[in-house]
Amino acid sequence: MENIEEDVQLGTNRYTEVQAIGTAAQTRMENKDYKEPPPAPLFEPMELSSWAFYRAGIAEFVATFLFLYITVLTVMGVQKSPRMCSTVGRQGIAWAFGGMIFALVYCTAGISGGHINPAVTFGMLLARKLSLTRAVFYIIMQCLGAICGAAVVKGFQGSRYERLGGGANVVGHGYTKGDGLGAEIMGTFLLVYTVFSATDAKRNVRDSHVPILAPLPIGFAVFLVHLATIPITGTGINPARSLGAAIVYNKDQAWHDHWIFWLGPFSGAALATFYHQVIIRAIPFKSKY
C-alpha cells in the first residue's frame, strides 16, 4: 500500500501540467516542452554537396511522376465513358487525387518532406522551413516528374490521350477566369493550411501520433477540394500537375488560362502561410524561442 501511495504521488507531481486545460495550460506547456526550430537559411550552398539533398529531389520527382500517372489515367477513364455512373465519376477522381497524396506523402515525408506540389514548397519557403536552394530544386524536380508522368500516360493511351483531353486543367464552361482564380486560391489555401497544421512541430511535441497521421488530413483536404472545384477548373491547386498535363497535351485550350494554375496556387499558399505563421502561431511576435 505504501508503494501505491508513492506511485500516486509521483504521478501527481509528474503530470500536473497535463491536467490543466485551456489557453493558460497551453502557454505553460509551450514554455515547458517546446522550442521553436530556427528558420532555415535563405541560401545553403553546402546542400549542393550532400547526397541527402539530391535524394530528396529524386523522391519529389518520383512521387510527382506517380501522382500524375495515376490521376491522369483516372481522369481519362471517366472522360472515356459515355455515362458518368458507369465509371468512378467525379468522386472517384477526387479519391484518386486525395488517395495518391495520402500514400505519397506517407512514403516521402521522411525523405523530402513530401511536398509533391510547388505551392506547398513555396509556402514552406515563405515560412523559412527550407532554403531557397532546396525550394528551387524541389520545384524543378516536381515539374519534371509531372511532365514524365503525363508523357507515360500519353505513350500508353496513344490517340485517346489527346481525344480525351489529357487531364489538362481548363476553366469549365459557364465559369469566368475570376471564378477559376478564386477556386484555385481557396483550394490551395485549404491544402497548405492543412499541411502546416498537420506537420506543426509544436503539435508533434505534444502528440506523438501526429507524424504518423499527418498524411491523412493532407490527402483528405485534397479530396474535398477536388469535390468542390472539379467543375470549375478541373482542380489544379498544384502548378506541377497543371504544367505537366499542359505540356504533354499541348493544345490551345490547355494554355489559354494556364496562368490561373500558377497565380492561384501560389497566392493561396502565401495566404495560408501568413495565416498560420502570423495569426495562428504569432511567430514574428515571439520575443524568445
Side-chain angles (χ1 to χ4, degrees):
M1 182 67 92
E2 182 177 344
N3 291 336
I4 294 177
E5 290 179 356
E6 290 179 359
D7 291 341
V8 172
Q9 187 64 29
L10 176 61
T12 302
N13 293 336
R14 185 176 180 182
Y15 298 109
T16 50
E17 294 293 337
V18 179
Q19 293 173 357
I21 60 175
T23 305
Q26 292 177 3
T27 303
R28 290 198 299 272
M29 200 167 201
E30 179 177 336
N31 293 334
K32 182 183 179 76
D33 65 4
Y34 178 71
K35 189 174 183 180
E36 192 74 46
L42 188 59
F43 296 101
E44 188 60 46
M46 293 298 294
E47 288 184 318
L48 299 177
S49 61
S50 169
W51 165 242
F53 175 79
Y54 296 100
R55 181 181 62 182
I58 293 171
E60 288 292 310
F61 172 89
V62 172
T64 315
F65 170 87
L66 295 173
F67 179 63
L68 264 289
Y69 174 73
I70 295 297
T71 55
V72 170
L73 273 178
T74 304
V75 171
M76 291 179 60
V78 173
Q79 294 292 337
K80 181 181 178 181
S81 176
R83 293 183 299 114
M84 187 74 71
C85 61
S86 64
T87 66
V88 296
R90 286 177 179 168
Q91 288 187 359
I93 293 174
W95 276 120
F97 278 86
M100 282 300 292
I101 288 297
F102 167 70
L104 294 171
V105 170
Y106 176 82
C107 292
T108 60
I111 303 172
S112 65
H115 297 187
I116 321 169
N117 185 337
V120 173
T121 301
F122 180 64
M124 293 295 169
L125 173 64
L126 293 180
R128 299 295 300 277
K129 294 183 180 296
L130 76 167
S131 67
L132 178 62
T133 312
R134 186 174 291 263
V136 171
F137 184 50
Y138 275 14
I139 291 174
I140 291 173
M141 296 301 282
Q142 290 158 359
C143 290
L144 291 177
I147 294 169
C148 291
V152 169
V153 174
K154 182 176 182 179
F156 287 164
Q157 295 294 313
S159 60
R160 288 191 299 271
Y161 181 86
E162 295 186 359
R163 188 173 71 252
L164 298 174
N169 288 118
V170 296
V171 176
H173 294 294
Y175 295 96
T176 66
K177 295 181 180 180
D179 295 333
L181 181 62
E184 290 295 304
I185 291 174
M186 294 304 299
T188 312
F189 178 94
L190 173 60
L191 170 60
V192 176
Y193 176 46
T194 303
V195 170
F196 275 117
S197 298
T199 60
D200 194 331
K202 179 178 178 181
R203 176 176 290 179
N204 293 348
V205 169
R206 299 178 181 177
D207 304 319
S208 60
H209 62 279
V210 167
I212 300 174
L213 296 179
L216 181 59
I218 296 171
F220 200 63
V222 172
F223 165 73
L224 293 174
V225 172
H226 276 76
L227 284 183
T229 61
I230 283 176
I232 305 175
T233 60
T235 309
I237 67 171
N238 184 333
R241 173 259 188 274
S242 300
L243 178 67
I247 287 179
V248 177
Y249 182 56
N250 199 28
K251 300 293 182 182
D252 289 343
Q253 58 265 38
W255 295 110
H256 282 164
D257 304 317
H258 187 70
W259 61 272
I260 290 174
F261 302 101
W262 285 86
L263 179 60
F266 276 89
S267 298
L271 290 173
T273 303
F274 175 83
Y275 177 66
H276 184 267
Q277 298 293 97
V278 178
I279 306 300
I280 299 299
R281 294 297 311 283
I283 288 177
F285 308 111
K286 292 181 179 179
S287 59
K288 60 180 180 179
Y289 293 91

